[in-house]
Amino acid sequence: MAPHASPSAFRSPGLTLLTASFGTLLVLIDYTSPLTTLSPTAAALDMTPSAQTWVLTGTLVGLAALLLTMGSVADDYGRKRVFGAGAGLLLVSTALSAAASDTGLFLTGRILQGCAAAAILAPSLGLIGNAYPVGPARVKALGMWGASVGLGIALGPVYAALVERAGGWRAIYWVLSALSALLIALTAVTLAESKNDRPRRLDPLGVLTLGAGSSCLIAGLAEGRYGWGRTQVLTLLGAGVLLLAAFVLVEARVTEPMLELGLFRTPGFIASTSGAFFTGMSIVGLMSYLPTVVQKSLGESPLTASGVLAIWSGLSVVSALQARRLAAKVAAATQVAGSLLLCGIGEAALYGLDAGDSWAHLVPGLVIAGIGSGVLNAALARLAVSSVPPHRAAMGSGANNSARYLGSALGVAVMVTVISRSESAAGPGQAMADGANNAFLVAAALCLAGAAIALWARLAESRAEARTPAVEPPVTEHPRVASPS
């Protein structure tokens, strides 16, 4: 299937990278902002504990339900079009949360922010892959996109804490709404449209089963924090599993599936999706709850807690930018395995926390995990583009990010469950510290499991390359998604 590019495809690749990375940065800032400002927001809107859980979970529902769908639609009907629609929805949804008079409206805004994030993230790597041909320039560009992920996670909690202190919690979302307007303008001016010449038919049953299944599964994981044996939780989890199984059956039968199941026979795609899943489950899941641990166990302020998290995420930005130096020497799947191992070592190094400790205890582990996370983000971005056919680049991005955020939802649920089950006669602060120590070890073990799968995928890839005739050297990157017309 031949790709298609509009006459505006001569626009600067650098501006395409800027807009795609800015959109990704904005999405991550929006997602992580509540990590340090949940308390004043909940107090102002009189939120119940369950509703507070949904401040983060609502965004995850929108992300996981639509990422793969948005990637498929972007490939077939226009990556710029979907990206721009996401920017518009982000403007509307952040304004809705800013102006919300009650919990229901605020959470509706958060769910819509997840939908907007899906429409922005899914085509972002496809836009970059279309702008940059195979080679060092693409590797560098994808590393910069990976850095924007870490930068968004680093800035979100700090930004929110500072803006909330200066102008209240509503100001957080009003500023994000204004930045979304800037993203709309950048999309119109800097991005060239690209899509397939012959759009595939829509897969409505696939969209329905994937969206409903992901939503039920994440909702069940969120509600499970208050008791896994409740009927509501079991019903949601059971429905999620059944609907996702139905999605697999639908994709196996339709002529033009949204997700081509045959890709799971490709080692690179396995490394990409499993690496993203374990990144979400073991790293994002733990780090999403770390500011809470720092505040409740170490007695630090929200701003200090966000600064501690920024040690990890800030170093991930630096290492993602430098990861291009490894591209010519180390295969992307090997980088995924090695960086997951490094993250696991860093998470294990966090062990030994006691209530009232200085946050400096966490620094060595955060440094190690931050370096590993940056290399991991860059390598996963490369695999998301290179492990799928050129005309399905946005679908590859959507699948990669879907796996990451499904893993994140499961990871947060696991970490909260592990931490909340700890008890201590020394008080709630020590109980949280003991629970956090257990969570650090669980996260490290999950990183090792992800590293083992990525290493297996790389060995399988190497065996396949060894069987390839010498006259046909193995392809490690797909060619440009679309060429200028």
Side-chain angles (χ1 to χ4, degrees):
M1 185 182 298
H4 167 77
S6 71
S8 59
F10 289 101
R11 292 176 182 176
S12 166
L15 290 176
T16 298
L17 175 61
L18 170 68
T19 301
S21 297
F22 178 62
T24 301
L25 174 71
L26 198 56
V27 163
L28 268 298
I29 289 175
D30 176 71
Y31 172 65
T32 57
S33 288
L35 292 178
T36 52
T37 57
L38 179 57
S39 294
T41 306
L45 296 176
D46 196 24
M47 289 185 184
T48 64
S50 179
Q52 292 179 43
T53 299
W54 278 89
V55 173
L56 278 176
T57 303
T59 306
L60 276 177
V61 166
L63 274 165
L66 290 180
L67 268 166
L68 185 56
T69 300
M70 289 296 100
S72 184
V73 171
D75 282 329
D76 292 331
Y77 298 96
R79 300 181 182 99
K80 175 182 177 179
R81 181 176 300 171
V82 171
F83 189 93
L89 182 57
L90 189 61
L91 187 155
V92 172
S93 58
T94 48
L96 177 60
S97 288
S101 57
D102 56 44
T103 298
L105 285 175
F106 180 83
L107 293 181
T108 299
R110 290 294 294 174
I111 293 172
L112 291 176
Q113 286 155 41
C115 297
I120 291 170
L121 287 176
S124 60
L125 290 179
L127 288 164
I128 295 171
N130 177 60
Y132 288 88
V134 175
R138 174 184 281 188
V139 172
K140 182 179 179 180
L142 293 175
M144 294 180 70
W145 181 89
S148 72
V149 174
L151 185 59
I153 295 172
L155 289 179
V158 178
Y159 153 81
L162 291 174
V163 172
E164 191 277 329
R165 179 178 294 183
W169 67 269
R170 293 184 188 275
I172 297 168
Y173 298 95
W174 284 126
V175 173
L176 287 172
S177 186
L179 292 173
S180 300
L182 175 59
L183 181 61
I184 293 171
L186 285 173
T187 301
V189 173
T190 67
L191 295 185
E193 186 60 280
S194 63
K195 59 183 177 179
N196 298 327
D197 281 340
R198 187 181 67 82
R200 298 155 66 94
R201 285 181 292 182
L202 289 175
D203 179 12
L205 280 178
V207 171
L208 178 63
T209 52
L210 176 63
S214 300
S215 299
C216 287
L217 188 62
I218 292 175
L221 291 171
E223 292 297 324
R225 301 174 200 177
Y226 302 101
W228 292 102
R230 292 184 297 149
T231 301
Q232 179 187 13
V233 173
L234 295 176
T235 300
L236 286 169
L237 292 176
V241 171
L242 289 175
L243 285 166
L244 290 177
F247 169 72
V248 174
L249 292 176
V250 168
E251 298 306 279
R253 292 174 178 273
V254 298
T255 305
E256 295 182 326
M258 181 167 57
L259 175 63
E260 296 170 10
L261 299 181
L263 288 170
F264 286 100
R265 294 193 292 269
T266 306
F269 190 76
I270 293 173
S272 173
T273 52
S274 66
F277 179 80
F278 279 98
T279 296
M281 190 174 180
S282 59
I283 302 170
V284 179
L286 176 64
M287 296 304 174
S288 293
Y289 204 69
L290 187 63
T292 302
V293 172
V294 172
Q295 291 177 68
K296 293 186 177 181
S297 179
L298 306 186
E300 300 290 355
S301 68
L303 190 57
T304 300
S306 62
V308 172
L309 183 67
I311 296 172
W312 162 72
S313 51
L315 280 169
S316 76
V317 175
V318 176
S319 58
L321 292 173
Q322 298 302 315
R324 69 181 188 276
R325 304 179 188 278
L326 297 173
K329 303 174 183 178
V330 183
T334 305
Q335 289 184 44
V336 170
S339 52
L340 277 170
L341 177 60
L342 192 61
C343 288
I345 293 171
E347 289 170 335
L350 299 173
Y351 187 83
L353 190 68
D354 286 314
D357 274 354
S358 167
W359 56 263
H361 168 86
L362 301 170
V363 171
L366 291 173
V367 169
I368 297 170
I371 293 171
S373 294
V375 176
L376 182 58
N377 286 334
L380 287 174
R382 282 179 59 198
L383 278 174
V385 174
S386 65
S387 63
V388 298
H391 64 280
R392 303 291 279 155
M395 183 277 294
S397 175
N400 186 278
N401 282 296
S402 293
R404 182 191 294 261
Y405 289 105
L406 278 172
S408 298
L410 181 57
V412 170
V414 169
M415 300 308 159
V416 171
T417 300
V418 170
I419 291 172
S420 63
R421 286 188 174 180
S422 296
E423 298 180 357
S424 174
Q430 186 58 47
M432 174 157 282
D434 292 342
N437 287 326
N438 294 333
F440 298 151
L441 297 181
V442 169
L446 290 170
C447 276
L448 293 180
I453 294 173
L455 182 59
W456 169 85
R458 176 54 190 156
L459 293 174
E461 191 175 52
S462 297
R463 288 193 293 269
E465 290 174 356
R467 292 193 296 267
T468 303
V471 293
E472 295 181 16
V475 177
T476 57
E477 294 276 3
H478 282 291
R480 178 187 286 247
V481 176
S483 58
S485 58

